[in-house]
Structure formats: C-alpha cells, structure tokens
Amino acid sequence: MKLYNTLTRKKEEFIPLEEGKVKMYVCGPTVYDYIHIGNARPMIVFDTVRRYMEYKGYDVNFVSNFTDVDDKIIAKAAEEGSTAEDVANRFIEECKKDMAGMNVKTATCHPLATQEIDGMIEMIAKLIEKGYAYPAADGTVYFRTRKFKDYGKLSHKNIDDLQAGHRDIKVTGDLKEDALDFVLWKPKKEGEPYWESPWCDGRPGWHIECSVMSKKYLGEGIDIHAGGEDLIFPHHENEIAQSEAANGTEFSKYWMHNAFLNIDNRKMSKSLGNFFTVREVSEKYELQILRFFMLSAHYRSPLNFSADLMEAAKNGLERIVTAAEHMRHLSKTAPNVEMTEDELSLAVKSKSYTAKFEAAMDDDFNTADAISAVFELVKFINSNVSAESSNALLGELYRQMKTLCDVLGIILEKEEEDLDSEIEGLIAKRQAARKEKNFARADEIRDLLLAKGIMLKDTREGVQWKRI
Ligand code: AMP
Ligand code: ZN
C-alpha cells in the first residue's frame, strides 16, 4: 500500500511503526457552528483511509479532536449571550449527527482541547526547560522557532524566506524575541474562559492542543497525521516543531492532506461566505450521496461542488444500490444448490474487480478508480445473474459488492432493513388482532401488506412472508 507523504513529497510504501497497527491522528473541526461540506471532506476521506486499513487487517487507533476553545467560539458565545462551553457542546453534538449521516465511523477517541489543559501546561513547561520556549513579560509563552532546526520541513519553506515575509509585520513593542515565534499560551481577556498556569491565567494556542492530544492518546511517535491542506502551514509545521522539540523523537512518519472542496474554483470557507453546511445539503440529498460525491475524486485533487456533480453521484449510487436490491430479491427464491461449472467460473472472474479495487486503493487511496471497479462489478453482476442463478453464486457476488461498498462507507441495505422492520411491525399487529379475534382488522393488515407486495403465509411455525 502506497501513500503520498507531504513530508517527503513522494508516494511511499506504508510501513507501520508497529506491525499490524496504525496510529492515526486527524485534526478535527473548531466547533462554533454547523460544519460545512468543506470540513466534511477530510472526515470522509480519512474515514475511508481508516476503513481500507481495517479491511487490510490493521488494527487502527484513530484519534480526532474537537477544538472547543477558540476566538470564534468565544465570539459566537458573546453574540448569542451564552458561554463558550455551551456553544462548543451544542455544535459537537450537531457535528456528530452530521458525521453519523455521512457514515463516518466514530473515532477510537474524540478528545476535547478543554479537557487536556494539564497536558498542554506540562508540554509548554518542558519546552521552556529545554530552551525552545520562553514566557514574555505579559505572561504569553512563545515557541522559539529558529531554535528548531527542522522548521519548514513539512511545508518545504525556507526559514529565511519566512523571516523576510514577516519583517513588515513586526511591530514596535512586540514582546516576541523574533517575528517567527508563535504562541503556546496566551493571557486571558475579560470575559473569556481561562485556566491557571505558571505564566498567567489564560488559554492554550491552537497548535499545542494537537501535539498534546496526539501524544496522550497515541504516543510520542505516530504513523499518520492528517488534515486539509490549509493545515500544512502553519498548524502542522508548528505541531512538528513543538512535539519533536519536546519529545526528541519523530512526531509522525507520514503526513496526509486532502485538497480543497471548492465552489466556482474557490475554496469553500466560512470567511468567504461561499459555503453550504452538511445540514443544508441533507435537506436535499441523502448524505450517502454527499459521501459518494466526495469519493468520486482523488483526495489530493481539488473538487468543485455543483448540482450537476451531485446529481451524477445520486445516479451512480442508485445504480449500485439497485443492483444490490435486485440480488437480494433474487436470492429470496433462488435455488439452494451448489454452483454449476459456469457459475464457478463467473465467481472466479468476479474476483478481478476486487483486485482492481484494491490496486486503486493501494495506489494512494485512489477512490475514483476504486469506484470505477465497483461499477464494473455491478455491470458484470447485472449481465450474469438471473432468476436461475444459485443462491451460492448470488451470495458470493453480493458479499464482494458489500465488502467493497463497506470500505467506501456506502450502505447497501439500509432501506431494506427499515422496510423489513416496518413489515415485521405490521405482522405483529396482525397477530395481536387475531388473538383478540378482531379478524376484520387482521384481514385489513394482510391486504395492506399485499398492497406493499408482501405475501403472508400462516404456518405451524408462525407467520412467514415473502416479496411478490
Ligand atoms: P477548521 O474547523 O477550519 O479547522 O477545519 C476543519 C478541517 O476541515 C481541517 O482539516 C481543514 O483543513 C478542513 N477544511 C476546511 N475547509 C475545507 C475545504 N473547503 N475543503 C477541504 N477541506 C477543508
Ligand atoms: Zn491539529
């Protein structure tokens, strides 16, 4: 399995630090509002990476934080007259609902920045002790960027170029030793949440949060650190500087970054105002369709959001789901016999699509090509199964299709399951009516089910039903 490492700018073979295990950290959202579909891209992309790693047999420890203290959260709380805690908790819950709708698996752990302040103070103290950080006169603690010799290695920036860019903005009275130094801890402002620290009452800078949460939940060295490409600089560059200076060991072996979700070829963002929330999109489309749309492009290619592309995703997904439905339908009446010679060779041939799918995913998670392989499998199934097919063949083909769709996080059976539970519910009601000798009601329910294409058969073992 190869993946593109931002650190080396190369596709590299994935070799885990510990055999069979993957330690992965994905920077999560700042929770001050509903997430927009740009934020959804890394969630879907890295959830798919995780699913594929699990498919390959890795035990994945997947950590993704919520940034629950930040200027934007504080501003939102002030605007609505509530507290930062209220705002953050509310939007964490809303974000989790959106994630469930997009079938993004719950992380092994979703740490909250505000619950990890002690660890942050500890890491900052360590950095001061090692000479990598210093408190200024007002209690702000800065990271001494120039002291970290590898600064710029992820974003491939030269520290002197950065310095030149910063020269203009160094203001007189600045408490920093150097314009490149960044904040680890900042003093509280009136009305803001704060914590006590050896330097001043205040709160952590954004970058230190991830260094600390990653270390606490995954250890000092991890396999993969990921996020959107806007995080490469300065966020991830600063995380590396903090973690490697404090721990004295490589922070993350691989760095993965998704490209932007755009609108009219501009990054979708809150500040530009050109965004749709996941919630808005869910009013028009099932979120499965949004997920399918996101995976229709390679994660390192920019993706333009448009109604046309969403319609194309809807149609494509429908083709897959309909094929699955058709197979489930056929299997209800299919003969329970062994595969014929012809069927055996079909089963063997069908494996080539799984192989194609794996080859695409092994090549830096090329979900676009992986989806093409699923379409080819669907086409193969549609042209080779019929009412005469054995259950053994149908089962084999269905399992393959379901396995590949599971890796993509596409659900094939949801509607059917919902329908089944509705049918079971009606059958239970009919049984109750019969027990009460209300035969008119029982017949009414039987007719209602018949209208839905469900035929009942009363047997000694109970009621059986089948689709007609
Ligand atoms: P934020 O809450 O802004 O820190 O963003 C959370 C995650 O969403 C980060 O990994 C960002 O890089 C990512 N992100 C934000 N906007 C976009 C976008 N338009 N396209 C892709 N990823 C994005
Ligand atoms: Zn982060």
Side-chain angles (χ1 to χ4, degrees):
M1 183 174 18
K2 283 198 156 76
L3 54 82
Y4 181 86
N5 189 356
T6 310
L7 194 62
T8 57
R9 288 182 164 168
K10 282 195 196 92
K11 267 190 209 171
E12 291 177 33
E13 188 61 35
F14 177 72
I15 304 167
L17 294 170
E18 204 180 323
E19 206 185 321
K21 295 197 169 154
V22 180
K23 287 175 265 187
M24 183 166 179
Y25 186 97
V26 181
C27 293
T30 305
V31 278
Y32 63 103
D33 208 336
Y34 290 98
I35 55 163
H36 63 64
I37 56 177
N39 303 134
R41 192 170 187 194
M43 288 175 180
I44 291 169
V45 161
F46 297 117
D47 177 63
T48 308
V49 168
R50 170 195 188 170
R51 284 168 182 267
Y52 187 61
M53 299 255 183
E54 286 172 345
Y55 166 81
K56 288 278 216 171
Y58 288 107
D59 175 9
V60 185
N61 192 345
F62 188 97
V63 176
S64 190
N65 68 297
F66 287 110
T67 295
D68 62 342
V69 60
D70 164 90
D71 289 345
K72 290 178 193 139
I73 300 174
I74 294 167
K76 177 88 169 202
E79 191 186 303
E80 58 178 44
S82 62
T83 64
E85 196 182 354
D86 274 353
V87 170
N89 287 342
R90 193 161 82 243
F91 289 112
I92 287 171
E93 285 320 304
E94 297 301 347
C95 179
K96 285 184 174 169
K97 283 184 209 159
D98 288 338
M99 287 166 85
M102 297 185 295
N103 202 21
V104 170
K105 286 171 80 163
T106 310
T108 317
C109 173
H110 278 291
L112 306 182
T114 56
Q115 305 304 309
E116 310 291 344
I117 304 289
D118 287 350
M120 296 179 207
I121 291 175
E122 204 176 298
M123 190 180 274
I124 296 170
K126 179 97 174 254
L127 287 168
I128 295 175
E129 189 189 306
K130 288 185 148 191
Y132 283 103
Y134 58 95
D138 67 346
T140 308
V141 183
Y142 292 102
F143 187 87
R144 197 170 266 137
T145 304
R146 274 190 176 274
K147 186 168 164 70
F148 183 68
K149 293 295 167 236
D150 282 339
Y151 196 81
K153 70 173 172 181
L154 179 73
S155 52
H156 305 277
K157 288 182 192 290
N158 179 302
I159 200 149
D160 294 320
D161 295 345
L162 284 170
Q163 186 85 55
H166 269 271
R167 202 158 287 152
D168 305 344
I169 54 165
K170 181 153 165 53
V171 289
T172 0
D174 205 338
L175 298 166
K176 294 183 197 183
E177 290 175 0
D178 187 285
L180 287 182
D181 295 351
F182 60 87
V183 171
L184 299 175
W185 186 265
K186 55 185 155 195
K188 69 169 181 187
K189 288 198 200 120
E190 200 44 47
E192 287 187 0
Y194 68 90
W195 290 264
E196 287 175 2
S197 83
W199 315 288
C200 64
D201 288 351
R203 61 187 165 98
W206 172 36
H207 317 301
I208 196 75
E209 296 175 8
C210 290
S211 283
V212 168
M213 291 186 271
S214 179
K215 179 176 176 171
K216 174 161 174 190
Y217 296 100
L218 295 169
E220 291 184 350
I222 69 170
D223 294 290
I224 303 175
H225 196 111
E229 68 182 10
D230 53 337
L231 299 189
I232 298 173
F233 188 85
H235 185 54
H236 287 165
E237 195 68 66
N238 291 355
E239 281 190 41
I240 291 177
Q242 299 162 155
S243 295
E244 297 192 356
N247 306 331
T249 164
E250 187 176 46
F251 181 35
S252 178
K253 193 169 175 190
Y254 304 95
W255 288 82
M256 294 180 74
H257 295 98
N258 63 276
F260 290 141
L261 179 76
N262 293 333
I263 280 203
D264 298 328
N265 301 311
R266 290 185 80 190
K267 180 195 172 191
M268 179 177 291
S269 76
K270 288 244 21 171
S271 50
L272 289 171
N274 61 346
F275 66 93
F276 293 105
T277 63
V278 169
R279 206 53 67 85
E280 278 167 335
V281 171
S282 76
E283 281 159 21
K284 197 148 176 228
Y285 295 100
E286 263 188 58
L287 290 179
Q288 280 236 91
I289 297 170
L290 180 67
R291 180 169 184 126
F292 196 67
F293 157 78
M294 296 278 187
L295 297 178
S296 66
H298 189 271
Y299 76 93
R300 285 191 293 115
S301 306
L303 176 60
N304 224 23
F305 181 74
S306 74
D308 280 356
L309 286 177
M310 282 297 283
E311 284 303 316
K314 185 176 172 193
N315 293 336
L317 186 58
E318 211 161 86
R319 232 187 310 154
I320 298 171
V321 172
T322 307
E325 244 166 42
H326 181 56
M327 287 176 83
R328 286 198 300 270
H329 178 70
L330 287 180
S331 78
K332 290 225 157 78
T333 49
N336 281 321
V337 290
E338 282 184 10
M339 283 193 227
T340 62
E341 284 294 313
D342 281 355
E343 286 188 337
L344 277 170
S345 80
L346 283 175
V348 170
K349 212 165 157 205
S350 71
K351 299 267 197 308
S352 68
Y353 302 105
T354 293
K356 223 169 166 174
F357 179 96
E358 287 183 7
M361 293 298 278
D362 281 341
D363 182 15
D364 191 28
F365 307 96
N366 190 336
T367 52
D369 286 359
I371 287 175
S372 299
V374 175
F375 279 135
E376 283 177 44
L377 176 62
V378 164
K379 196 169 161 203
F380 176 83
I381 289 172
N382 287 344
S383 40
N384 287 296
V385 302
S386 70
E388 277 79 54
S389 303
S390 71
N391 236 334
L393 175 69
L394 290 170
E396 172 60 38
L397 296 176
Y398 191 82
R399 254 193 309 282
Q400 262 187 78
M401 189 161 149
K402 184 164 172 349
T403 305
L404 304 189
C405 286
D406 277 349
V407 170
L408 298 173
I410 298 302
I411 301 166
L412 292 179
E413 292 175 2
K414 197 158 170 240
E415 270 179 47
E416 187 98 348
E417 274 170 12
D418 288 351
L419 202 64
D420 285 2
S421 62
E422 187 192 333
I423 291 164
E424 305 286 355
L426 281 168
I427 291 173
K429 276 189 188 148
R430 176 171 169 268
Q431 292 298 85
R434 277 160 57 124
K435 222 172 169 179
E436 289 164 10
K437 306 220 177 313
N438 185 349
F439 296 111
R441 175 72 185 141
D443 287 349
E444 211 176 274
I445 295 173
R446 172 188 282 259
D447 292 344
L448 185 69
L449 283 163
L450 208 55
K452 287 180 184 286
I454 304 300
M455 173 112 105
L456 299 186
K457 192 172 166 204
D458 294 307
T459 71
R460 242 185 290 171
E461 287 80 41
V463 184
Q464 289 176 352
W465 61 272
K466 66 173 184 185
R467 289 198 166 78
I468 49 170

